[in-house]
C-alpha cells in the first residue's frame, strides 16, 4: 500500500527519522517492510519507533542502497509499506519494575514499547558508540541512563555496566541492539533469574514467513529448532535464542 511521507529528517549523522501516514495500529516490537525504490528489489525491514493516530515513525541508519534511497525521499513522496509484521514485545500487568535496554540503531522499537508501558516504573538504559539520539523522547516515559563507549555523553562504558546499578529492582528486561549486547543481556537475565525478551535482527527476504532467509537458531525440548525472525519474532524470550 502507498503511504505519504510527512517528515524525513537527519537527526544525527547518517540516522534519519521518517514519518508517514499509516492506519493500522501496531504492537510494540513489530516492524514494517518498506520498498526503498531504485533497483532494490526486496523490501527492507524497519522497526516501528512510534505510532500516533494514523502516523507512523521509523528511525533508520543509512547502511546500503535501500536506506540511502530512503534518506533521499522528500515530504509528500509516496512509499510502499507493508505491515505491521511479526510478533512484538509482550506486556504483562504483573510486572511493574521494568528495565528497557537498547544499543545503537537497535533503540527505535524500544521507544514505542516504553510509551505503551507508561504506567509502570521504567528504567531505560541506552548505549551508543558516540553520538546519542532520541534521548529526550525516551525521557518522557522513564528514567533514562545513557552510556557511550567514548564517554562523550553520559556514563563511559557499555549498557551492561549501567544495568548492574539497577538490576536488583527489576521484574522484567526488554532489549534490542547488536548481537553481542543481546547475548550479554541474556547472560545477566539468567544470572539474576529475571525474565527477558529481546528483539533479534536477521536479513529478510519476504518478511511474512515464506522464504526462510531469516532463520534463527532457538532452543527446543528435543534439541534445537530454527524459527523465523519475521513471523515467530523478531521478539523472543532471551533464553530461547542461541547466539
Ligand atoms: C526486524 C528488523 C527491524 C529492523 N529495524 C531497524 C530500524 O529500526 N532501524 C534501522 O536502521 N535498521 C533496522 N533494521 C536493519 C535494516 O533492515 C537494515 O539496515 C537494512 O535492511 C539495510 O538495507 P540497505 O539496502 O540500506 O543495506 P544493504 O545494502 O542491504 O546492506 C548494507 C549493510 O547493512 C547490513 N544489513 C542488511 N540487512 C540487515 C539486517 N537485517 N540487520 C542488520 N544489518 C543488516 C548488511 O550486512 C550490510 O553491511 C532492522 C532489521 C530487522 C530484521
Ligand atoms: S523473511 Fe522470509 S521467512 Fe522470514
Amino acid at each position: 500500500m502507498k503511504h505519504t511521507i510527512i517528515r524525513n529528517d537527519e537527526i544525527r549523522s547518517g540516522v534519519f527519522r521518517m514519518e508517514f501516514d499509516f492506519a493500522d495500529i501496531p504492537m510494540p516490537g513489530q516492524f514494517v517492510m518498506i520498498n526503498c525504490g531504485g533497483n532494490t528489489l526486496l523490501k527492507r525491514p524497519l522497526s516501528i519507533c512510534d505510532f500516533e493516530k494514523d502516523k507512523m515513525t521509523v528511525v533508520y541508519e543509512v547502511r546500503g542502497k535501500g536506506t540511502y534511497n530512503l534518506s533521499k525521499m522528500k515530504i509528500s513522496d509516496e512509499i510502499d509499506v507493508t505491515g505491521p509484521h511479526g510478533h512484538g514485545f509482550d506486556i504483562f500487568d504483573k510486572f511493574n519494575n521494568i528495565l528497557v535496554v537498547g544499543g545503537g540503531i537497535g533503540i527505535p522499537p524500544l521507544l514505542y514499547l516504553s510509551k505503551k508501558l507508561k504506567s509502570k516504573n521504567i528504567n531505560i538504559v541506552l548505549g551508543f558508540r558516540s553520538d546519542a539520539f532520541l534521548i529526550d523522547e525516551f525521557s518522557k516515559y522513564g528514567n533514562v541512563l545513557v552510556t557511550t563507549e567514548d564517554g562523550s555523553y553520559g556514563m563511559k562504558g557499555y549498557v551492561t555496566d549501567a544495568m548492574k546499578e539497577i538490576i536488583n529492582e527489576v521484574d522484567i528486561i526488554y532489549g534490542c541492539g547488536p548481537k553481542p549486547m543481546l547475548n550479554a543481556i541474556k547472560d545477566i537475565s539468567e544470572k539474576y533469574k529475571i525474565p527477558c525478551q529481546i528483539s533479534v535482527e536477521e536479513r529478510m527476504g519476504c518478511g511474512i514467513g515464506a522464504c526462510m532467509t531469516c532463520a534463527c537458531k532457538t532452543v527446543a525440548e528435543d534439541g534445537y529448532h530454527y524459527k523465523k525472525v519475521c513471523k515467530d519474532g523478531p521478539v523472543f524470550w532471551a533464553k530461547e535464542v542461541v547466539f
Side-chain angles (χ1 to χ4, degrees):
M1 269 186 68
K2 296 283 181 201
H3 299 264
T4 307
I5 295 172
I6 303 163
R7 170 180 170 174
N8 192 21
D9 302 329
E10 191 165 20
I11 57 170
R12 197 201 72 183
S13 174
V15 177
F16 289 73
R17 176 186 186 134
M18 177 184 274
E19 287 173 14
F20 48 86
D21 72 280
F22 199 88
D24 294 341
I25 301 170
M27 300 297 290
Q30 287 189 299
F31 64 95
V32 287
M33 297 288 286
I34 301 185
N35 184 338
C36 298
N39 56 356
T40 56
L41 191 62
L42 299 171
K43 289 193 170 88
R44 304 299 199 249
L46 291 179
S47 305
I48 294 155
C49 176
D50 199 5
F51 178 82
E52 189 74 57
K53 207 169 171 289
D54 295 345
K55 195 174 73 182
M56 181 172 284
T57 303
V58 292
V59 169
Y60 61 93
E61 184 170 48
V62 175
R63 301 286 282 273
K65 209 184 283 178
T67 44
Y68 174 79
N69 290 352
L70 218 52
S71 75
K72 297 295 167 200
M73 292 183 187
K74 304 263 178 295
I75 294 171
S76 301
D77 284 354
E78 291 201 320
I79 44 168
D80 179 13
V81 183
T82 61
H85 296 289
H87 179 92
F89 294 105
D90 298 308
I91 294 176
F92 302 91
D93 288 339
K94 63 181 177 179
F95 296 134
N96 275 310
N97 298 311
I98 317 280
L99 176 56
V100 173
V101 188
I105 198 61
I107 72 170
L110 301 174
L111 184 67
Y112 188 47
L113 171 70
S114 302
K115 184 179 187 175
K116 290 291 165 191
L117 291 165
K118 64 177 179 251
S119 59
K120 316 257 181 173
N121 176 26
I122 311 172
N123 276 295
I124 303 162
V125 179
L126 304 175
F128 303 90
R129 277 208 193 100
S130 180
D131 292 345
F133 56 93
L134 295 180
I135 306 301
D136 290 347
E137 287 82 349
F138 274 97
S139 300
K140 292 182 206 157
Y141 307 120
N143 173 40
V144 179
L145 267 168
V146 180
T147 66
T148 47
E149 287 175 35
D150 64 2
S152 58
Y153 191 105
M155 180 178 159
K156 187 174 187 332
Y158 295 112
V159 287
T160 39
D161 302 320
M163 283 173 73
K164 284 178 196 145
E165 297 184 5
I166 39 183
I167 198 73
N168 287 318
E169 310 291 320
V170 172
D171 298 330
I172 187 166
I173 304 169
Y174 296 104
C176 185
K179 273 191 182 145
M181 189 201 95
L182 293 181
N183 201 4
I185 295 175
K186 174 182 166 160
D187 287 347
I188 293 175
S189 73
E190 283 170 2
K191 180 174 169 198
Y192 289 88
K193 299 190 171 37
I194 301 169
C196 176
Q197 291 198 331
I198 52 173
S199 182
V200 176
E201 268 193 21
E202 287 297 339
R203 297 208 76 152
M204 289 186 181
C206 68
I208 53 168
C211 72
M212 282 305 282
T213 309
C214 64
C216 152
K217 196 172 180 182
T218 58
V219 180
E221 277 175 16
D222 56 347
Y224 297 106
H225 266 308
Y226 283 88
K227 287 196 174 176
K228 296 170 183 172
V229 170
C230 68
K231 203 152 187 283
D232 304 315
V235 177
F236 295 94
W237 287 105
K239 63 182 181 194
E240 272 187 276
V241 179
V242 180
F243 286 99

